[in-house]
Amino acid sequence: MSGDSVVPMTRRGVYLPIGALLLGMLLAALDQTIVATALPTIVSDLGGMDHLSWVVTAYLLAVTAATPLWGKLGDQYGRKRLFQSAILIFLVGSALCGVAQNMPQLIGFRAVQGLGGGGLITLSMAIVGDLVPPRERGRFQGLFGAVFGTTSVLGPLLGGFFTEQLNWRWVFYINLPIGALALVVIALALHIPAGGYAHRIDYLGTLLIASAATCVVLVTSLGGTTWDWNSAQVYGLAVLAAVLVVAFVLVERRAVEPVLPMSLFAVRNFTLCAAISFVIGFAMFGAMTYLPTFLQVVHGVSPTMSGVHMLPMVLGVIAASTVSGQLITHTGHWKFFPVVGTGVTTGGLLLLHRLAPDSSQLEMSAYFAVFGIGLGLVLQVLVLVAQNAVRYADLGVATSGVTFFRSIGASVGVAVFGAIFASRLGGKLADALRGQPLPAGVSADSLKHNPQSVSRLPAGARRGVLGAYSESITDVFLFAAPLAFVAFVLTWFFVQQRLRRSVQVPDEAETLAPCPVERSSADEAARALSRLNTLEGRRDLYERITERAGMDLRPAASWMLLRVHHDGPVEPALIPDDGTIPRRVVADAARQLEERGLAEREGLQLVATARGAEAARALSDARQELLAEELGDWWGPDRPTDLTQLVRQLNEEIGRAEPPRAA
């Protein structure tokens, strides 16, 4: 995205549309986590425990398939119109989910929700680039990433609260007033270009990969339950999935703008990141879907408290992800984290397998935390390593590729967990109830479809049923552990590459979200370089350019000289004092420029002298060189035009930012 497309707006004028975009992102992000704690109640009301996983999987598959299309259609036809359409589709899906009368209806309506959700996530982050200049994008996109961190914590709690205090249908109805507010604000306050950038949209590639993923999910979720593993349906879908994958590869080799360029798989570290991302998505979202069921059915925890019990896992993910990201940034060493993270994740899955009806709250919290810490240690580094491994032209698709595989892993993981759970539950319930007296209307089949009827059983039968549910759920973690161990082995094959200075820790949108992230290479580079606009970044930047230009000036004095050179006379006393930069720093900078003969007063205004103009040109050249150096080998002789324009624009904008704090 070119900086030329940014619509000039005051900082205050940006906040209202940004707030509406955050609401849209909140809706889509929340619906990925809010449903899990409501699922046991939904199943008891609508029936269909065998298809519980599809309530989550349908949404994930639809989001994954729709995300790449929304991004390119927004470029072509205008993001405002498309964002409004995405909100409407999402709200229609939410309303229909709220009135669903059976599981097939709910699953279908969740897919409609997912189609809209993919647009909300993709377009909200893309519109930020239309509203704010490159130097500000990192800060605002960080807000959108924080939404995913917040909803990871709040989603399970809110899902439990609405289910317990109102009705599970309010998990979906709550979207309606929030979405309506976002629609009104977007219509009135968002003013951005109408689009017009033509794409060769890869509709066929999108259809093929979505169809292949659906076939895999159908095989894993229906095989062994609805269909025998040796049935013609299972074999037919497996063969069809393989054919679709082969067709997808062939189509992507010829597509002008492929969903997933096959050339990326020639890069060893990217291929490893994609495979490990699949496993992490598989384990993370499978566990987040079924642990609330374990807590509510086996331990009799309320829906709200099941969300509270999940906090050690979620907080473990966020804390480990944040700490590992900071350590990588400061040390430049990253290989340790995926190795340890996948190892801890494997151990965490084995610990979750040990959960039982008599497990204490402390024991469960410890196991949840270990599992979450393992996931968090891996999540940050995978996107970072993939970005570091590719050339600039592939930066955007590398990011979307890794997150795409995590999305597919999440969809398949939830389905596989559900298939293992459903296939084992029926037999274990039958064994537990054999010879047990049962109340009228209660049977192994009714208990399978309505877990809340466990409370009607006599004590002896209840213990057996709770044990059956416990073993059926915890067995899925045992089956997932070998896959996590394979990921652990794969991490040893990473090639330790020196990190480019421009490759920064990804935000939560790229690590916690189960949907692919669609950003262009220029967007990713702008996000990374925009950290130079922070107080610490500006101080470091101006210290370095002053040293490179061979001058002995305070960082703030270098900034002021460039400001005077680019924008003309400046009255230092009128530079806004927002509390972050002391007035003394500005006054001392102006005084130093006068003492060195680099600027002089014309009345109250500061004007550059001839020596000052020459010094400013040297500082400007040094600043642009340093911006280019941040990009490492991306800044080569064959660099694309958009990267050159981005560096030039950032060079100008950073010169107009507030002065660095250090005097």
Side-chain angles (χ1 to χ4, degrees), residues 209-523:
I209 193 61
S211 301
T214 302
C215 288
V216 171
V217 169
L218 285 171
V219 168
T220 53
S221 61
L222 300 182
T225 53
T226 304
W227 301 324
D228 290 334
W229 284 113
N230 289 323
S231 66
Q233 294 96 323
V234 168
Y235 286 127
L237 280 173
V239 171
L240 179 58
V243 170
L244 289 170
V245 168
V246 171
F248 173 73
V249 171
L250 295 175
V251 167
E252 295 304 277
R253 287 182 180 277
R254 299 178 181 177
V256 177
E257 296 185 32
V259 174
L260 191 63
M262 293 296 106
S263 60
L264 288 176
F265 293 97
V267 180
R268 177 172 167 177
N269 277 7
F270 172 83
T271 304
L272 291 170
C273 285
I276 297 167
S277 288
F278 177 91
V279 175
I280 293 302
F282 183 103
M284 180 176 178
F285 292 97
M288 290 183 73
T289 300
Y290 281 92
L291 282 176
T293 301
F294 172 84
L295 291 166
Q296 291 180 42
V297 176
V298 178
H299 280 262
V301 173
S302 69
T304 304
M305 288 307 297
S306 70
V308 174
H309 279 67
M310 291 284 288
L311 285 179
M313 187 187 99
V314 176
L315 294 177
V317 170
I318 295 173
S321 180
T322 302
V323 171
S324 63
Q326 294 301 317
L327 288 173
I328 290 168
T329 298
H330 285 96
T331 66
H333 299 294
W334 53 263
K335 188 172 180 179
F336 167 84
F337 295 98
V339 172
V340 173
T342 49
V344 173
T345 299
T346 304
L349 287 167
L350 293 175
L351 289 175
L352 293 178
H353 172 63
R354 292 170 54 86
L355 293 173
D358 59 353
S359 295
S360 68
Q361 183 174 333
L362 179 61
E363 181 184 3
M364 290 190 293
S365 296
Y367 292 173
F368 291 175
V370 169
F371 181 61
I373 289 169
L375 293 171
L377 289 173
V378 189
L379 282 171
Q380 285 274 19
V381 76
L382 292 177
V383 175
L384 184 148
V385 172
Q387 291 178 340
N388 194 60
V390 300
R391 58 198 179 100
Y392 169 77
D394 292 329
L395 179 59
V397 291
T399 305
S400 61
V402 170
T403 54
F404 177 84
F405 274 94
R406 188 176 67 233
S407 303
I408 296 295
S411 303
V412 174
V414 173
V416 169
F417 276 40
I420 295 170
F421 168 60
S423 65
R424 300 179 76 78
L425 181 61
K428 289 183 181 294
L429 283 175
D431 292 342
L433 295 175
R434 190 170 290 115
Q436 293 282 350
L438 299 176
V442 176
S443 64
D445 192 57
S446 68
L447 288 167
K448 183 178 178 181
H449 290 88
N450 181 10
Q452 289 186 347
S453 60
V454 172
S455 60
R456 298 173 54 193
L457 294 172
R462 187 184 305 126
R463 279 194 298 272
V465 169
L466 293 180
Y469 262 98
S470 175
E471 292 175 16
S472 300
I473 294 174
T474 57
D475 279 354
V476 303
F477 303 117
L478 182 63
F479 280 89
L483 188 61
F485 182 75
V486 170
F488 169 73
V489 173
L490 290 177
T491 60
W492 289 93
F493 292 93
F494 273 127
V495 178
Q496 174 79 51
Q497 296 173 323
R498 182 175 177 273
L499 288 179
R500 297 181 180 92
R501 288 181 61 90
S502 57
V503 174
Q504 292 297 299
V505 174
D507 57 41
E508 287 88 343
E510 296 174 333
T511 55
L512 295 179
C515 57
V517 173
E518 287 290 312
R519 290 177 184 164
S520 69
S521 294
D523 286 336

